[in-house]
Amino acid sequence: MATVVEEPSPFLRFEALPVPLLPDALQTELRATLRLAGPVVAAQLAHISMGFVDTVMVGRLGPEALAGVALGNTVFFFFAIMGMGMVRAVGPMVSQAVGAKEARAVGRSVRQGLWMATGLGLVILLVLSNVEPVLRWTGQEPVAIDGATRYLDAIRWGILPFLGFAALRSFVEGLSRPLPVTIISFVGVAVNIGANELLMFGRWGLPALGLAGTGWASTLVFFVLFGALAVFVHRTAPFAEHGVFAHIREPDSAYLRELVRIGAPMGASRGIESSLFMLTTVMMGVLGTTALAAHQVAIQCAAFAFMVPLGIGMAGTVRVGQAAGAQDEAGARRAGGVAMGLATLFMVGTAVLFWTLPRPLVGLYLDLAASENAAVVSLAVQLLGVAAVFQLFDGLQVAAHGALQGLKDTRVPMGIAMVTYWGIGLTTGYLWGVWGGGGPEALWWGLVVGLAAASVLLVLRFHRQVGRAVREGAAVPDEQEGAPVPASAPAPSLDE
């Protein structure tokens, strides 16, 4: 039989590059984090590209449709991101079980993650089915509400596979094998483009569904993503060895409680962070359409850049979790430090880009030569200058948050998020930007102040907790009572 030599992934080729002047252990950690973060970052960019594709294609339907999808998309992903934050508790559960060599705990954690995804999905589906009266109460334009309702009536059915995919993705990444998720995510982008064209505009004899077609296309994409990843983990080693779909109909209350204990604060933190930007957008609208349009351009630039430190933070969760599971305090501390350093270093690069080339970046979204865009372009350039500072702290805080999740430390970080994002960031932005008359730039400086406070407190929290978390040892829930069992206890086999 001929021997097949597998070509290395493009994400792995940097491994041969020398990293001078660094200790061997730090070089090893740096390479491991980059090897894991590369595909994760690519997957995040693929997911945000779907939103970009939707926006561009809906723009062909006219400004009213664009307003409807903007409102509906904000509502859907506010709830979806909170649910995803909870479900991603599967990640630290799996990575710590891997570090502790608890093979059986891996499969049990993922199975209960799928149960949690189902329960959360049903609740969110119910909420989205009854959200129209709330939208009307907020005083939004009737045409925007009508468009958002049509969009939500379609995309709401995709919430279950969306959360199921998040659970399986956390499992795959927890085993340090993220490349399959990346490939499947880019397949999703292609499906999204094709489905939008077919369903929105009625190609190949299909009816033109307009704005609703965008929602149905997204729902189809979510089912494709979940189905493809489910088949992959069921049939492919080493994922199939954990028997994720074996005994899937049997709830495991001990593991489910542990997932809720870890995941509920994670979901709340994501919701608090999302609401910071959502409420800032609402306040921008109070300042006028020019401010709102310029803010949208600046926040889109920041959002694309944010995908990289977010992916690095996810990789940090896995690396810290595996070291903590192996009761390696130095390794856990090193993994967290490397993730925070890489995230901050990348954001230094984007800050320089925002400072030096703001007009070309704004030109990606607006025609710089059009006189009617002059005011928006001018303000967006100013906001990108503030966004440059914003980037530094945003990258550091998301990486620190990921490192803490690797320690299963989620409750105190949730409190830090609430105090810094709402108590400091939103309050500063409102008092300075709206009440004090500082305008759009002051609102953005409120974001900077809130994120700066969060990053400092989260970094301090990690360095304070890492030793304690590792000394206590990774624990898995007891099968009978839900009490933690030390990771050093003998691991049952998958066949038990």
Side-chain angles (χ1 to χ4, degrees), residues 37 40 47 112 115 122 125 155 161 177 213 228 254 259 317-318 338 361 432 435:
V40 175
H47 284 292
Q112 299 318 299
W115 272 94
L122 292 174
L125 177 61
I155 198 173
R177 305 291 182 92
L259 281 169
T317 298
V318 174
V338 165
L361 290 173
W432 188 2
W435 187 77

Side-chain angles (χ1 to χ4, degrees), residues 194-216:
N196 272 341
E197 188 69 24
L198 289 174
L199 298 176
M200 288 171 59
F201 304 109
R203 310 302 185 196
W204 293 355
L206 294 173
L209 300 179
L211 193 55
T214 313
W216 286 117

Side-chain angles (χ1 to χ4, degrees), residues 95-121:
S95 59
Q96 287 208 14
V98 169
K101 304 188 186 310
E102 288 280 356
R104 188 172 176 227
V106 172
R108 292 174 70 182
S109 297
V110 183
R111 282 194 291 274
Q112 299 318 299
L114 292 171
W115 272 94
M116 186 163 70
T118 302
L120 286 171

Side-chain angles (χ1 to χ4, degrees), residues 199-275:
L199 298 176
M200 288 171 59
F201 304 109
R203 310 302 185 196
W204 293 355
L206 294 173
L209 300 179
L211 193 55
T214 313
W216 286 117
S218 296
T219 293
L220 174 63
V221 169
F222 296 150
F223 274 101
V224 168
L225 292 175
F226 174 70
L229 192 54
V231 170
F232 182 83
V233 302
H234 181 61
R235 295 186 174 182
T236 309
F239 313 104
E241 298 166 6
H242 295 281
V244 168
F245 296 102
H247 313 295
I248 188 68
R249 290 178 291 181
E250 300 175 9
D252 188 331
S253 60
Y255 275 72
L256 191 56
R257 280 196 300 270
E258 181 71 357
L259 281 169
V260 171
R261 183 187 72 81
I262 298 169
M266 289 172 63
S269 295
R270 293 299 299 270
I272 292 167
E273 184 177 5
S274 297
S275 68

Side-chain angles (χ1 to χ4, degrees), residues 295-306 350 354 358 361-362 364-365 384 387 391:
H295 170 75
Q296 181 66 14
V297 171
I299 204 70
Q300 282 296 315
C301 292
F304 266 94
F306 179 71
T350 63
F354 285 8
L361 290 173
V362 174
L364 296 174
Y365 299 88
L384 281 178
Q391 294 289 93

Side-chain angles (χ1 to χ4, degrees), residues 75-410:
V75 172
F76 176 82
F77 280 101
F78 175 74
F79 291 104
I81 286 172
M82 282 198 296
M84 183 177 66
M86 286 192 67
V87 170
R88 286 195 67 86
V90 170
M93 289 280 286
V94 167
S95 59
Q96 287 208 14
V98 169
K101 304 188 186 310
E102 288 280 356
R104 188 172 176 227
V106 172
R108 292 174 70 182
S109 297
V110 183
R111 282 194 291 274
Q112 299 318 299
L114 292 171
W115 272 94
M116 186 163 70
T118 302
L120 286 171
L122 292 174
V123 171
I124 295 173
L125 177 61
L126 181 63
V127 171
L128 294 176
S129 300
N130 296 278
V131 78
E132 182 180 357
V134 179
L135 295 179
R136 296 195 183 280
W137 175 78
T138 62
Q140 302 293 318
E141 290 290 333
V143 67
I145 295 173
D146 292 342
T149 301
R150 281 184 282 126
Y151 174 78
L152 288 170
D153 283 345
I155 198 173
R156 60 180 174 167
W157 300 106
I159 189 63
L160 286 165
F162 177 89
L163 295 179
F165 177 78
L168 293 180
R169 176 181 176 178
S170 298
F171 162 50
V172 171
E173 292 173 354
L175 295 184
S176 299
R177 305 291 182 92
L179 191 56
V181 172
T182 306
I183 295 170
I184 291 171
S185 296
F186 276 101
V187 170
V189 175
V191 172
N192 190 40
I193 294 171
N196 272 341
E197 188 69 24
L198 289 174
L199 298 176
M200 288 171 59
F201 304 109
R203 310 302 185 196
W204 293 355
L206 294 173
L209 300 179
L211 193 55
T214 313
W216 286 117
S218 296
T219 293
L220 174 63
V221 169
F222 296 150
F223 274 101
V224 168
L225 292 175
F226 174 70
L229 192 54
V231 170
F232 182 83
V233 302
H234 181 61
R235 295 186 174 182
T236 309
F239 313 104
E241 298 166 6
H242 295 281
V244 168
F245 296 102
H247 313 295
I248 188 68
R249 290 178 291 181
E250 300 175 9
D252 188 331
S253 60
Y255 275 72
L256 191 56
R257 280 196 300 270
E258 181 71 357
L259 281 169
V260 171
R261 183 187 72 81
I262 298 169
M266 289 172 63
S269 295
R270 293 299 299 270
I272 292 167
E273 184 177 5
S274 297
S275 68
L276 170 67
F277 295 99
M278 182 175 68
L279 293 174
T280 299
T281 301
V282 171
M283 289 190 285
M284 281 290 181
V286 173
L287 298 178
T289 54
T290 297
L292 187 59
H295 170 75
Q296 181 66 14
V297 171
I299 204 70
Q300 282 296 315
C301 292
F304 266 94
F306 179 71
M307 292 301 103
V308 175
L310 177 60
I312 293 171
M314 291 177 176
T317 298
V318 174
R319 295 295 302 166
V320 171
Q322 290 179 351
Q327 297 182 296
D328 178 4
E329 179 180 344
R333 195 178 297 277
R334 187 165 51 245
V338 165
M340 287 183 262
L342 285 172
T344 305
L345 182 63
F346 175 82
M347 288 308 226
V348 168
T350 63
V352 171
L353 187 65
F354 285 8
W355 269 319
T356 57
L357 297 171
R359 285 185 64 84
L361 290 173
V362 174
L364 296 174
Y365 299 88
L366 296 171
D367 182 357
L368 300 178
S371 58
E372 62 270 21
N373 292 338
V376 176
V377 170
S378 176
L379 181 55
V381 167
Q382 295 176 45
L383 294 182
L384 281 178
V386 184
V389 183
F390 163 97
Q391 294 289 93
L392 303 177
F393 297 113
D394 204 18
L396 180 57
Q397 67 86 22
V398 75
H401 226 134
L404 285 165
Q405 289 173 7
L407 299 176
K408 298 184 181 178
D409 183 13
T410 57

